[in-house]
Amino acid sequence: PPVINVPPRNVSLTEGKSTSIKCGYTGDQPLSIEWLYKGRTLSNSADNRIVLNSAAGTLKFATIRSSDTGHYTCRVQNEVGAVTATAKLTVQVPPQITQGPEAVNVSRGSAVRLTCVAPGWVSRPHH
């Protein structure tokens, strides 16, 4: 059966960056390689934002989007068998204020609550 001798590595990048995920493999020919995302076989995107190079075992993203976050599986097979290896792509989205606090009038000494909504990637400190 084929062997994945360079498994794909997890990647964490900011949205809009480019990246590649590589899967190195060996085995008796003929070999076929495919990349899977959410259980479905990937193919080159029409706009060339995502490009697969089977000969090199790479999956290239020209610009990553938040929707690209997830697990990508490299599947290599020949007549003898198949092997898989998976990497996680984490897309970090910079916070952006989508709803800011509104102006309010309050009396001195009164409690006030202001709301601000800013979705995006938040790095959490490790304990």
Side-chain angles (χ1 to χ4, degrees):
V3 173
I4 294 176
N5 55 6
V6 181
R9 295 182 180 209
N10 294 339
V11 178
S12 183
L13 287 174
T14 305
E15 185 176 45
K17 301 284 185 182
S18 62
T19 192
S20 293
I21 302 174
K22 180 164 178 52
C23 179
Y25 57 91
T26 62
D28 294 334
Q29 296 290 333
L31 281 168
S32 67
I33 180 172
E34 64 183 350
W35 285 93
L36 303 152
Y37 177 67
K38 296 184 179 178
R40 295 186 176 175
T41 301
L42 289 173
S43 58
N44 292 335
S45 62
D47 61 359
N48 286 327
R49 191 179 70 79
I50 300 174
V51 176
L52 290 78
N53 182 333
S54 295
T58 57
L59 174 61
K60 295 182 180 183
F61 295 83
T63 54
I64 57 173
R65 300 176 181 161
S66 61
S67 58
D68 295 326
T69 292
H71 292 87
Y72 290 82
T73 300
C74 165
R75 184 174 194 271
V76 182
Q77 78 178 52
N78 63 11
E79 295 175 353
V80 181
V83 290
T84 62
T86 301
K88 181 179 181 184
L89 173 62
T90 303
V91 181
Q92 303 169 355
V93 180
Q96 183 176 15
I97 295 174
T98 57
Q99 176 187 342
E102 297 179 11
V104 293
N105 293 319
V106 293
S107 301
R108 184 182 297 210
S110 297
V112 64
R113 181 181 180 144
L114 302 173
T115 302
C116 178
V117 178
W121 175 264
V122 178
S123 177
R124 304 206 189 301
H126 297 286
H127 298 289

Short mmCIF file of all heavy atoms in Angstrom, two decimals, residues 71-114:
data_model
loop_
_atom_site.label_atom_id
_atom_site.label_comp_id
_atom_site.label_asym_id
_atom_site.label_seq_id
_atom_site.Cartn_x
_atom_site.Cartn_y
_atom_site.Cartn_z
N HIS A 71 -11.18 20.63 8.50
CA HIS A 71 -10.22 19.55 8.36
C HIS A 71 -10.12 19.12 6.90
O HIS A 71 -11.14 18.89 6.24
CB HIS A 71 -10.64 18.36 9.23
CG HIS A 71 -10.55 18.65 10.69
ND1 HIS A 71 -11.58 19.23 11.39
CD2 HIS A 71 -9.53 18.48 11.56
CE1 HIS A 71 -11.20 19.39 12.65
NE2 HIS A 71 -9.97 18.95 12.78
N TYR A 72 -8.88 19.02 6.42
CA TYR A 72 -8.60 18.61 5.04
C TYR A 72 -7.86 17.28 5.09
O TYR A 72 -6.87 17.14 5.79
CB TYR A 72 -7.76 19.68 4.33
CG TYR A 72 -8.56 20.93 4.09
CD1 TYR A 72 -8.73 21.88 5.09
CD2 TYR A 72 -9.19 21.14 2.87
CE1 TYR A 72 -9.50 23.02 4.88
CE2 TYR A 72 -9.95 22.28 2.64
CZ TYR A 72 -10.11 23.21 3.65
OH TYR A 72 -10.87 24.33 3.44
N THR A 73 -8.37 16.32 4.33
CA THR A 73 -7.81 14.98 4.33
C THR A 73 -7.16 14.67 2.99
O THR A 73 -7.79 14.85 1.94
CB THR A 73 -8.89 13.93 4.65
OG1 THR A 73 -9.44 14.22 5.94
CG2 THR A 73 -8.33 12.52 4.63
N CYS A 74 -5.92 14.20 3.07
CA CYS A 74 -5.18 13.74 1.90
C CYS A 74 -5.41 12.22 1.83
O CYS A 74 -5.20 11.52 2.81
CB CYS A 74 -3.71 14.06 2.12
SG CYS A 74 -2.58 13.21 1.03
N ARG A 75 -5.86 11.75 0.68
CA ARG A 75 -6.10 10.31 0.49
C ARG A 75 -5.27 9.84 -0.69
O ARG A 75 -5.41 10.34 -1.81
CB ARG A 75 -7.58 10.04 0.23
CG ARG A 75 -7.91 8.57 0.11
CD ARG A 75 -9.44 8.39 0.01
NE ARG A 75 -9.81 7.02 0.23
CZ ARG A 75 -9.90 6.11 -0.74
NH1 ARG A 75 -9.62 6.43 -1.98
NH2 ARG A 75 -10.27 4.88 -0.45
N VAL A 76 -4.38 8.88 -0.43
CA VAL A 76 -3.51 8.33 -1.47
C VAL A 76 -3.86 6.86 -1.63
O VAL A 76 -3.98 6.13 -0.64
CB VAL A 76 -2.02 8.48 -1.08
CG1 VAL A 76 -1.11 7.95 -2.18
CG2 VAL A 76 -1.67 9.92 -0.74
N GLN A 77 -4.02 6.43 -2.88
CA GLN A 77 -4.34 5.02 -3.08
C GLN A 77 -3.69 4.47 -4.34
O GLN A 77 -3.33 5.21 -5.26
CB GLN A 77 -5.84 4.80 -3.11
CG GLN A 77 -6.55 5.17 -4.37
CD GLN A 77 -8.03 4.85 -4.27
OE1 GLN A 77 -8.70 5.25 -3.32
NE2 GLN A 77 -8.54 4.12 -5.24
N ASN A 78 -3.50 3.17 -4.30
CA ASN A 78 -3.06 2.42 -5.49
C ASN A 78 -3.83 1.10 -5.49
O ASN A 78 -4.78 0.94 -4.70
CB ASN A 78 -1.53 2.24 -5.52
CG ASN A 78 -0.98 1.43 -4.37
OD1 ASN A 78 -1.73 0.80 -3.61
ND2 ASN A 78 0.32 1.44 -4.22
N GLU A 79 -3.42 0.16 -6.31
CA GLU A 79 -4.15 -1.10 -6.41
C GLU A 79 -4.10 -1.93 -5.13
O GLU A 79 -4.93 -2.80 -4.91
CB GLU A 79 -3.61 -1.92 -7.59
CG GLU A 79 -3.86 -1.26 -8.92
CD GLU A 79 -3.21 -2.02 -10.07
OE1 GLU A 79 -2.45 -2.98 -9.83
OE2 GLU A 79 -3.46 -1.63 -11.22
N VAL A 80 -3.10 -1.67 -4.29
CA VAL A 80 -2.91 -2.47 -3.07
C VAL A 80 -3.71 -1.94 -1.88
O VAL A 80 -4.11 -2.69 -1.01
CB VAL A 80 -1.40 -2.55 -2.72
CG1 VAL A 80 -1.16 -3.39 -1.50
CG2 VAL A 80 -0.61 -3.08 -3.89
N GLY A 81 -3.93 -0.62 -1.83
CA GLY A 81 -4.66 -0.06 -0.69
C GLY A 81 -4.69 1.45 -0.72
O GLY A 81 -4.28 2.09 -1.69
N ALA A 82 -5.17 2.00 0.38
CA ALA A 82 -5.30 3.46 0.50
C ALA A 82 -4.91 3.89 1.90
O ALA A 82 -5.07 3.13 2.87
CB ALA A 82 -6.73 3.89 0.20
N VAL A 83 -4.37 5.10 2.02
CA VAL A 83 -4.04 5.70 3.31
C VAL A 83 -4.53 7.14 3.32
O VAL A 83 -4.67 7.77 2.26
CB VAL A 83 -2.52 5.66 3.60
CG1 VAL A 83 -2.05 4.25 3.86
CG2 VAL A 83 -1.72 6.29 2.50
N THR A 84 -4.80 7.64 4.52
CA THR A 84 -5.24 9.03 4.66
C THR A 84 -4.49 9.71 5.78
O THR A 84 -3.98 9.06 6.70
CB THR A 84 -6.76 9.13 4.96
OG1 THR A 84 -7.02 8.47 6.20
CG2 THR A 84 -7.60 8.52 3.85
N ALA A 85 -4.43 11.03 5.70
CA ALA A 85 -3.88 11.87 6.77
C ALA A 85 -4.64 13.19 6.72
O ALA A 85 -5.01 13.65 5.64
CB ALA A 85 -2.38 12.09 6.58
N THR A 86 -4.88 13.77 7.87
CA THR A 86 -5.72 14.96 7.97
C THR A 86 -5.00 16.11 8.66
O THR A 86 -4.23 15.89 9.60
CB THR A 86 -7.02 14.63 8.73
OG1 THR A 86 -7.71 13.58 8.02
CG2 THR A 86 -7.94 15.83 8.85
N ALA A 87 -5.26 17.32 8.18
CA ALA A 87 -4.73 18.54 8.80
C ALA A 87 -5.90 19.50 9.02
O ALA A 87 -6.89 19.48 8.29
CB ALA A 87 -3.69 19.19 7.91
N LYS A 88 -5.74 20.35 10.02
CA LYS A 88 -6.76 21.34 10.33
C LYS A 88 -6.30 22.72 9.86
O LYS A 88 -5.18 23.13 10.15
CB LYS A 88 -7.04 21.38 11.83
CG LYS A 88 -8.11 22.38 12.22
CD LYS A 88 -8.36 22.37 13.70
CE LYS A 88 -9.46 23.35 14.06
NZ LYS A 88 -9.66 23.42 15.52
N LEU A 89 -7.17 23.40 9.12
CA LEU A 89 -6.93 24.78 8.72
C LEU A 89 -7.81 25.67 9.57
O LEU A 89 -9.03 25.51 9.58
CB LEU A 89 -7.25 24.98 7.24
CG LEU A 89 -7.19 26.42 6.71
CD1 LEU A 89 -5.79 27.00 6.85
CD2 LEU A 89 -7.66 26.49 5.26
N THR A 90 -7.18 26.57 10.32
CA THR A 90 -7.91 27.53 11.13
C THR A 90 -7.71 28.91 10.53
O THR A 90 -6.58 29.36 10.36
CB THR A 90 -7.39 27.53 12.59
OG1 THR A 90 -7.51 26.21 13.13
CG2 THR A 90 -8.17 28.51 13.46
N VAL A 91 -8.82 29.55 10.17
CA VAL A 91 -8.75 30.88 9.58
C VAL A 91 -9.15 31.89 10.65
O VAL A 91 -10.26 31.86 11.18
CB VAL A 91 -9.68 31.00 8.36
CG1 VAL A 91 -9.58 32.40 7.76
CG2 VAL A 91 -9.34 29.94 7.33
N GLN A 92 -8.21 32.76 10.97
CA GLN A 92 -8.43 33.79 11.98
C GLN A 92 -8.98 35.04 11.30
O GLN A 92 -8.40 35.53 10.33
CB GLN A 92 -7.12 34.12 12.69
CG GLN A 92 -6.48 32.92 13.34
CD GLN A 92 -5.06 33.20 13.80
OE1 GLN A 92 -4.51 34.25 13.57
NE2 GLN A 92 -4.48 32.22 14.46
N VAL A 93 -10.10 35.52 11.80
CA VAL A 93 -10.74 36.70 11.23
C VAL A 93 -10.56 37.86 12.20
O VAL A 93 -10.97 37.78 13.36
CB VAL A 93 -12.25 36.45 10.99
CG1 VAL A 93 -12.92 37.67 10.40
CG2 VAL A 93 -12.44 35.23 10.10
N PRO A 94 -9.91 38.96 11.75
CA PRO A 94 -9.72 40.10 12.65
C PRO A 94 -11.07 40.62 13.13
O PRO A 94 -12.04 40.67 12.34
CB PRO A 94 -9.02 41.15 11.78
CG PRO A 94 -8.44 40.39 10.64
CD PRO A 94 -9.34 39.21 10.43
N PRO A 95 -11.16 41.02 14.40
CA PRO A 95 -12.44 41.56 14.89
C PRO A 95 -12.83 42.81 14.10
O PRO A 95 -11.98 43.58 13.67
CB PRO A 95 -12.13 41.93 16.34
CG PRO A 95 -10.92 41.16 16.70
CD PRO A 95 -10.15 40.98 15.43
N GLN A 96 -14.14 42.95 13.90
CA GLN A 96 -14.67 44.11 13.20
C GLN A 96 -15.96 44.50 13.89
O GLN A 96 -16.83 43.65 14.11
CB GLN A 96 -14.93 43.75 11.74
CG GLN A 96 -15.41 44.91 10.91
CD GLN A 96 -15.55 44.53 9.45
OE1 GLN A 96 -15.56 43.36 9.08
NE2 GLN A 96 -15.69 45.52 8.61
N ILE A 97 -16.08 45.76 14.25
CA ILE A 97 -17.29 46.21 14.95
C ILE A 97 -18.45 46.22 13.96
O ILE A 97 -18.41 46.90 12.95
CB ILE A 97 -17.09 47.60 15.58
CG1 ILE A 97 -16.02 47.52 16.66
CG2 ILE A 97 -18.40 48.14 16.14
CD1 ILE A 97 -15.63 48.85 17.27
N THR A 98 -19.47 45.40 14.28
CA THR A 98 -20.65 45.34 13.43
C THR A 98 -21.83 46.10 14.06
O THR A 98 -22.79 46.43 13.38
CB THR A 98 -21.07 43.88 13.17
OG1 THR A 98 -21.31 43.23 14.42
CG2 THR A 98 -20.01 43.15 12.37
N GLN A 99 -21.74 46.33 15.37
CA GLN A 99 -22.76 47.12 16.06
C GLN A 99 -22.07 47.86 17.19
O GLN A 99 -21.56 47.26 18.13
CB GLN A 99 -23.87 46.22 16.63
CG GLN A 99 -24.90 46.98 17.43
CD GLN A 99 -25.89 46.05 18.12
OE1 GLN A 99 -26.01 44.89 17.77
NE2 GLN A 99 -26.57 46.56 19.13
N GLY A 100 -22.01 49.16 17.06
CA GLY A 100 -21.36 49.97 18.09
C GLY A 100 -22.35 50.44 19.13
O GLY A 100 -23.56 50.32 18.95
N PRO A 101 -21.83 50.96 20.23
CA PRO A 101 -22.73 51.47 21.27
C PRO A 101 -23.49 52.70 20.77
O PRO A 101 -22.98 53.45 19.95
CB PRO A 101 -21.79 51.82 22.42
CG PRO A 101 -20.44 51.96 21.80
CD PRO A 101 -20.43 51.12 20.57
N GLU A 102 -24.72 52.84 21.25
CA GLU A 102 -25.54 53.99 20.87
C GLU A 102 -25.45 55.06 21.95
O GLU A 102 -25.21 54.76 23.12
CB GLU A 102 -26.99 53.54 20.70
CG GLU A 102 -27.17 52.53 19.57
CD GLU A 102 -28.61 52.08 19.44
OE1 GLU A 102 -29.50 52.68 20.07
OE2 GLU A 102 -28.83 51.12 18.69
N ALA A 103 -25.65 56.30 21.54
CA ALA A 103 -25.64 57.42 22.49
C ALA A 103 -26.89 57.32 23.38
O ALA A 103 -27.98 57.03 22.90
CB ALA A 103 -25.63 58.74 21.75
N VAL A 104 -26.70 57.52 24.67
CA VAL A 104 -27.82 57.49 25.61
C VAL A 104 -27.66 58.64 26.60
O VAL A 104 -26.55 59.09 26.88
CB VAL A 104 -27.89 56.15 26.39
CG1 VAL A 104 -28.24 55.00 25.48
CG2 VAL A 104 -26.61 55.87 27.12
N ASN A 105 -28.78 59.12 27.09
CA ASN A 105 -28.78 60.13 28.15
C ASN A 105 -29.12 59.44 29.45
O ASN A 105 -30.08 58.69 29.53
CB ASN A 105 -29.82 61.22 27.85
CG ASN A 105 -29.45 62.04 26.64
OD1 ASN A 105 -28.29 62.39 26.46
ND2 ASN A 105 -30.43 62.33 25.80
N VAL A 106 -28.32 59.69 30.47
CA VAL A 106 -28.57 59.10 31.78
C VAL A 106 -28.39 60.16 32.85
O VAL A 106 -27.68 61.15 32.67
CB VAL A 106 -27.62 57.92 32.07
CG1 VAL A 106 -27.89 56.77 31.13
CG2 VAL A 106 -26.18 58.33 32.00
N SER A 107 -29.03 59.93 33.95
CA SER A 107 -28.87 60.82 35.10
C SER A 107 -27.64 60.41 35.87
O SER A 107 -27.28 59.23 35.91
CB SER A 107 -30.09 60.71 36.02
OG SER A 107 -31.27 61.06 35.32
N ARG A 108 -26.98 61.39 36.45
CA ARG A 108 -25.79 61.12 37.24
C ARG A 108 -26.11 60.09 38.32
O ARG A 108 -27.14 60.17 38.96
CB ARG A 108 -25.30 62.40 37.90
CG ARG A 108 -24.02 62.20 38.66
CD ARG A 108 -23.59 63.45 39.34
NE ARG A 108 -23.32 64.46 38.31
CZ ARG A 108 -22.44 65.43 38.43
NH1 ARG A 108 -21.76 65.55 39.54
NH2 ARG A 108 -22.27 66.29 37.48
N GLY A 109 -25.20 59.10 38.42
CA GLY A 109 -25.36 58.06 39.43
C GLY A 109 -26.20 56.89 38.96
O GLY A 109 -26.30 55.88 39.65
N SER A 110 -26.81 57.01 37.79
CA SER A 110 -27.63 55.91 37.27
C SER A 110 -26.74 54.89 36.55
O SER A 110 -25.68 55.23 36.02
CB SER A 110 -28.67 56.43 36.27
OG SER A 110 -29.56 57.32 36.89
N ALA A 111 -27.20 53.66 36.55
CA ALA A 111 -26.49 52.61 35.83
C ALA A 111 -26.78 52.74 34.33
O ALA A 111 -27.87 53.16 33.94
CB ALA A 111 -26.92 51.24 36.33
N VAL A 112 -25.79 52.38 33.53
CA VAL A 112 -25.98 52.41 32.09
C VAL A 112 -25.30 51.17 31.49
O VAL A 112 -24.29 50.70 32.00
CB VAL A 112 -25.41 53.71 31.45
CG1 VAL A 112 -23.91 53.78 31.63
CG2 VAL A 112 -25.79 53.81 30.00
N ARG A 113 -25.91 50.66 30.44
CA ARG A 113 -25.33 49.50 29.76
C ARG A 113 -25.13 49.85 28.29
O ARG A 113 -26.07 50.24 27.60
CB ARG A 113 -26.24 48.30 29.91
CG ARG A 113 -25.68 47.07 29.25
CD ARG A 113 -26.63 45.90 29.39
NE ARG A 113 -26.04 44.75 28.74
CZ ARG A 113 -26.16 43.52 29.18
NH1 ARG A 113 -26.84 43.30 30.28
NH2 ARG A 113 -25.62 42.54 28.52
N LEU A 114 -23.90 49.71 27.81
CA LEU A 114 -23.58 49.96 26.42
C LEU A 114 -23.17 48.64 25.78
O LEU A 114 -22.43 47.86 26.37
CB LEU A 114 -22.44 50.97 26.30
CG LEU A 114 -22.69 52.33 26.95
CD1 LEU A 114 -21.43 53.17 26.91
CD2 LEU A 114 -23.84 53.05 26.25
#
